[in-house]
């Protein structure tokens, strides 16, 4: 056997071993069908896989070299992206200050076990829309059933988790920043009004589980637990759970009339987006109100006091960690810092179609479904129907209706239901400025994507490349805290 033949056998052996190992990991024997393909590529060569290398046309050879390299790169990227690692960029401030807007994360798929693709025919690195040209980046069929490969562990409390947005199953393409169900609630004609007004909302489309937007939050509640939030403190099964070290709440800052400078906000670690808002004619305004001339009754309603006839100034809706709050109170011009309080009924919270008067600071109690757990429809039936309809219908694929005080599943009256999946309760660390499970409900296990492991790049959008654009102190830091 020549050296070249030995080389071919070695490569065949390597690819055969990798194929067998991957087949065992995936629990799918069909993958072994790649072995005869590799045998022909390296040994028998019945099919001329590299025909272009023998072409006398230089242009054909050069073109096919590029095609071969690009195809190999796309397949490799697709494989790595699906089964091992995925890039993710933090788009919103819901996890500040744990993760910052502009952080680029390496998300591990093997932490909880990679999810086999549900829509396998898709363009690599495109979640649901083709870059530049637009349009769908995936083909709807075939769609495979949910299957998760073996991983290194399971989702634990306080893990930061990347997942597909559960309420992102239905999307109005012109207003993707707000989920379809929230849009429907604020439209006078409900979902029918959204679908009929394509000029405003665009086409309404359905997205498979793995093609829904990626979100990142912190897991607070685990399957089978009961979560309750009281005065911004979280209780699990009646036990107080400490807040993450860098969690934030929003406050009103009352000063003696001093204008808080941009430098002071930067010193505290408050982002520009957190103390400013859009003003007129495209300008940016500070979240500040001069209280001069405000009567004492209005001041009292705010919970504020004047000093020596001076009403001062207030800054409102400013997010602060405990450490930032302590530093701010030490400033001589700060009279008081008051935590923002949301009035019941001022916003919608889960379950959206049941009146609870819950707020972001006072929420629950709410039981989190677990695989194999049974819920009975004997007491609080209206509440249970509202809280768990989405799980039973949208996520577990049953027909569900609630009428005349009774639950009907798949056309039959049901006194109970056994859940098929585990569910999780996710919250942002920026507790007063996070659309999370308090708003849209539970995250099913089949929506879990992976765990952020590393911040490999971090960019400050308000600064230039030569003026602090790159947050060097955040590069290659752990993203798991």
């Amino acid at each position: 056997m020549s050296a070249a033949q030995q080389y071919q056998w070695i490569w065949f052996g390597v690819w055969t071993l990798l194929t067998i190992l991957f087949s065992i990991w995936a629990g799918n024997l069909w993958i072994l069908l790649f072995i005869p393909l590799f045998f022909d590529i390296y040994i028998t060569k019945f099919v001329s896989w590299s025909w272009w290398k023998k072409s006398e046309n230089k242009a054909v050879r050069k073109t096919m070299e590029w095609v071969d390299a690009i195809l190999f790169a796309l397949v490799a990227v697709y494989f790595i992206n699906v089964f091992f690692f995925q890039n993710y960029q933090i788009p919103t401030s819901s996890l500040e200050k744990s993760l910052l807007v502009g952080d680029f994360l390496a998300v591990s798929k093997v932490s909880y076990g990679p999810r086999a693709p549900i829509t396998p025919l898709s363009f690599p690195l495109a979640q649901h829309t083709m870059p530049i040209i637009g349009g769908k980046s995936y083909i709807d069929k075939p769609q495979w059933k949910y299957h998760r490969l073996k991983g290194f562990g399971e989702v634990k409390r306080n893990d930061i988790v990347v997942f597909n947005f559960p309420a992102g199953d239905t999307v109005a393409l012109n207003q993707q920043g707000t989920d379809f169900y929230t849009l429907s609630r604020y439209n006078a004609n409900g979902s029918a009004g959204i679908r009929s007004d394509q000029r405003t909302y665009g086409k309404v489309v359905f997205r498979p589980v793995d093609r829904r937007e990626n979100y990142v939050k912190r897991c607070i509640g685990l399957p089978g637990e009961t979560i309750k939030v009281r005065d911004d403190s979280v209780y699990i099964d009646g036990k107080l759970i400490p807040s993450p070290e860098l969690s934030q709440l929003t406050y009103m800052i009352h000063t003696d009339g001093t204008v808080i400078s941009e430098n002071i906000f930067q010193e505290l670690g408050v982002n520009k987006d957190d103390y400013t808002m859009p003003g007129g004619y495209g300008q940016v305004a500070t979240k500040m109100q001069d209280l001069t001339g405000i009567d004492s009754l209005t001041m009292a309603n705010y919970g504020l006091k004047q000093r020596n006839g001076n009403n001062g100034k207030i800054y409102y809706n400013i997010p602060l960690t405990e450490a930032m709050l302590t530093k701010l109170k030490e400033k001589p011009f700060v009279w008081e810092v008051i935590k923002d309080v949301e009035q019941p009924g001022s916003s919608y919270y889960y379950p959206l179609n049941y009146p609870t008067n819950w707020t972001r600071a006072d929420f629950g109690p709410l039981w989190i479904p677990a695989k194999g757990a049974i819920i009975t429809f004997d007491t609080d039936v209206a509440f249970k129907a509202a809280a768990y309809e989405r799980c039973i219908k949208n996520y577990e694929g049953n027909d569900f209706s609630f009428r005349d005080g009774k639950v009907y599943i798949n056309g039959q009256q049901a006194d109970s239901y056994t859940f098929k999946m585990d569910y999780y309760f996710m919250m942002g660390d920026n507790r007063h400025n996070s659309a999370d499970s308090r708003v849209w409900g539970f995250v099913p296990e089949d929506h879990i994507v992976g765990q952020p492991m590393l911040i490999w790049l971090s960019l400050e959008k308000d600064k230039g490349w030569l003026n602090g654009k790159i947050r060097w102190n955040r590069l290659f830091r752990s993203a798991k805290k």
Side-chain angles (χ1 to χ4, degrees):
M1 183 183 297
S2 67
Q5 289 175 322
Q6 289 179 346
Y7 181 79
Q8 296 296 313
W9 275 102
I10 290 172
W11 273 112
F12 169 67
V14 169
W15 283 109
T16 298
L17 177 61
L18 291 175
T19 302
I20 293 172
L21 292 175
F22 186 74
S23 176
I24 294 171
W25 185 32
N28 190 337
L29 296 178
W30 289 102
I31 296 172
L32 297 177
L33 291 177
F34 280 98
I35 294 177
L37 175 65
F38 295 139
F39 189 75
D40 185 60
I41 291 173
Y42 291 105
I43 308 301
T44 58
K45 300 182 180 179
F46 288 131
V47 178
S48 181
W49 300 97
S50 301
W51 59 268
W52 47 271
K53 292 182 179 179
K54 301 176 183 179
S55 174
E56 296 181 0
N57 189 318
K58 187 177 180 180
V60 170
R61 291 200 307 272
K62 183 61 69 174
T63 300
M64 289 307 300
E65 282 178 6
W66 278 101
V67 171
D68 181 66
I70 291 172
L71 286 177
F72 179 82
L74 288 176
V75 171
V77 166
Y78 177 85
F79 187 81
I80 293 171
N81 191 63
V82 168
F83 294 103
F84 292 97
F85 288 97
Q86 177 177 331
N87 177 55
Y88 180 76
Q89 179 184 359
I90 298 294
T92 69
S93 62
S94 68
L95 274 172
E96 299 264 348
K97 295 296 183 182
S98 302
L99 294 176
L100 306 182
V101 174
D103 281 349
F104 288 78
L105 312 176
V107 178
S108 167
K109 298 289 188 74
V110 295
S111 293
Y112 308 129
R115 179 185 58 194
I118 294 172
T119 50
L121 301 181
S122 64
F123 189 83
L125 300 182
Q127 180 63 17
H128 48 68
T129 304
M130 287 292 291
I132 303 176
I133 63 175
K136 284 168 51 175
S137 63
Y138 61 94
I139 298 175
D140 287 298
K141 294 182 180 180
Q143 285 194 25
W144 295 344
K145 290 184 178 180
Y146 164 66
H147 172 64
R148 191 174 294 277
L149 281 63
K150 200 79 172 171
F152 291 136
E154 298 178 346
V155 178
K156 300 183 294 296
R157 189 178 343 277
N158 285 326
D159 279 0
I160 295 178
V161 181
V162 174
F163 55 92
N164 295 116
F165 181 37
D169 54 358
T170 307
V171 179
L173 292 180
N174 284 1
Q175 297 195 22
Q176 298 188 42
T178 305
D179 71 83
F180 178 78
Y181 304 98
T182 300
L183 288 175
S184 299
R185 175 168 284 276
Y186 286 102
N187 188 283
N189 297 314
S191 60
I194 305 295
R195 295 179 188 278
S196 63
D197 187 4
Q198 288 200 17
R199 176 175 295 182
T200 302
Y201 298 100
K203 184 179 179 181
V204 176
V205 299
F206 175 84
R207 286 177 177 158
V209 171
D210 60 343
R211 297 300 149 192
R212 296 167 192 174
E213 287 287 359
N214 286 327
Y215 269 37
V216 59
K217 305 287 181 187
R218 190 180 297 276
C219 178
I220 299 298
L222 298 172
E225 297 180 336
T226 298
I227 186 169
K228 179 175 69 174
V229 183
R230 288 294 178 268
D231 192 24
D232 292 303
S233 295
V234 176
Y235 297 82
I236 299 292
D237 294 336
K239 181 181 178 181
L240 176 65
I241 301 299
S243 298
E245 180 182 356
L246 297 177
S247 63
Q248 296 185 122
L249 302 175
T250 57
Y251 295 85
M252 183 167 56
I253 305 169
H254 191 195
T255 77
D256 60 5
T258 298
V259 175
I260 303 178
S261 70
E262 182 174 335
N263 289 337
I264 291 178
F265 277 124
Q266 288 183 354
E267 172 195 324
L268 290 169
V270 180
N271 293 337
K272 189 172 183 178
D273 284 347
D274 291 333
Y275 65 84
T276 60
M277 60 182 179
Y281 304 102
Q283 301 298 309
V284 175
T286 302
K287 294 179 180 177
M288 184 267 289
Q289 180 181 353
D290 190 335
L291 299 178
T292 301
I294 301 297
D295 62 86
S296 58
L297 179 59
T298 302
M299 290 281 289
N301 289 337
Y302 273 122
L304 305 174
K305 299 177 182 178
Q306 61 176 212
R307 269 81 161 174
N308 299 321
N310 178 14
N311 287 353
K313 291 181 172 63
I314 60 167
Y315 290 78
Y316 49 90
N317 198 32
I318 306 297
L320 302 169
T321 65
E322 282 293 330
M324 293 160 67
L325 180 62
T326 300
K327 289 173 64 176
L328 183 64
K329 287 181 176 179
E330 293 173 352
K331 302 294 182 183
F333 55 80
V334 174
W335 280 347
E336 53 198 339
V337 185
I338 303 171
K339 184 171 70 173
D340 287 342
V341 177
E342 183 182 48
Q343 296 302 314
S346 59
S347 297
Y348 293 111
Y349 289 94
Y350 189 84
L352 297 179
N353 53 347
Y354 186 90
T356 60
N357 278 333
W358 291 350
T359 68
R360 64 194 180 193
D362 292 285
F363 180 93
L366 182 65
W367 177 74
I368 306 167
K371 183 177 181 179
I374 300 173
I375 185 172
T376 57
F377 301 111
D378 50 358
T379 59
D380 299 322
V381 180
F383 172 76
K384 291 177 180 177
Y388 304 107
E389 174 183 1
R390 188 165 179 80
C391 301
I392 297 170
K393 180 180 178 180
N394 296 59
Y395 306 145
E396 303 200 354
N398 300 282
D399 178 61
F400 183 99
S401 63
F402 174 67
R403 57 183 185 272
D404 301 327
K406 296 179 181 179
V407 168
Y408 295 85
I409 299 177
N410 297 325
Q412 302 293 321
Q413 182 186 338
D415 297 321
S416 64
Y417 178 78
T418 303
F419 289 97
K420 302 173 185 175
M421 288 193 292
D422 283 328
Y423 292 81
Y424 302 89
F425 197 94
M426 306 288 185
M427 290 177 65
D429 289 356
N430 197 352
R431 293 289 170 83
H432 285 181
N433 189 27
S434 173
D436 50 38
S437 287
R438 291 169 294 179
V439 177
W440 37 254
F442 311 107
V443 175
E445 65 174 79
D446 67 345
H447 283 58
I448 300 295
V449 173
Q451 182 180 33
M453 301 297 289
L454 181 74
I455 301 171
W456 63 270
L457 179 63
S458 185
L459 302 179
E460 175 61 68
K461 74 179 186 67
D462 295 320
K463 296 185 178 180
W465 288 103
L466 301 178
N467 185 34
K469 181 75 171 179
I470 300 177
R471 303 184 185 110
W472 295 101
N473 63 327
R474 294 188 64 78
L475 268 57
F476 303 109
R477 286 178 48 179
S478 171
K480 298 174 64 175
K481 293 183 180 180

